[in-house]
């Protein structure tokens, strides 16, 4: 079964990370590189409904065009929009 790292290697062939702008936050942002990823959900943004769909469909990976984490996080707490999404991703 493919894992997250396997999928990232394939994506890097189609869209090499070195072609990204310096300010873009590309690559693996949340989770375990060794986690199974036989199902992948593709989305424009990572939102609560996207996370819910990934969980319900059994996707082991979400590939999004816009990064969830764009600038350095100073906290990961439920009261913060990005923090709450990161928490939900880690839980699921």
């Amino acid at each position: 079964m493919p894992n997250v790292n396997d999928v990232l290697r394939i994506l890097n062939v189609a869209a090499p990370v070195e072609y990204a702008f310096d300010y873009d936050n590309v690559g693996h942002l949340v989770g375990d590189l060794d986690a199974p990823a036989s199902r992948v959900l593709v989305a424009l943004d990572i939102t609560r409904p996207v996370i819910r769909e990934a969980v319900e469909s059994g996707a082991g990976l979400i590939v999004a065009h816009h990064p969830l984490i764009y600038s350095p996080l100073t906290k990961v707490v439920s009261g913060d929009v990005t923090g709450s999404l990161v928490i939900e991703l880690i839980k699921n």
Side-chain angles (χ1 to χ4, degrees):
M1 175 180 301
N3 64 22
V4 171
N5 205 35
D6 295 328
V7 175
L8 292 178
R9 277 196 295 273
I10 293 167
L11 287 173
N12 195 49
V13 171
V17 172
E18 57 267 16
Y19 293 156
F21 290 110
D22 291 338
Y23 57 82
D24 277 340
N25 192 16
V26 299
H28 187 244
L29 300 183
V30 177
D32 181 358
L33 285 170
D34 295 321
S38 60
R39 288 178 164 254
V40 177
L41 181 82
V42 178
L44 182 62
D45 293 298
I46 296 181
T47 61
R48 202 162 309 285
V50 166
I51 296 170
R52 190 175 319 115
E53 182 178 346
V55 171
E56 290 172 359
S57 69
L61 176 65
I62 301 171
V63 174
H65 178 71
H66 295 134
L68 175 60
I69 302 168
Y70 192 74
S71 56
L73 290 177
T74 57
K75 59 187 172 192
V76 178
V77 296
S78 60
D80 175 74
V81 174
T82 302
S84 67
L85 293 173
V86 170
I87 291 168
E88 192 168 343
L89 287 167
I90 291 170
K91 285 181 180 178
N92 290 292

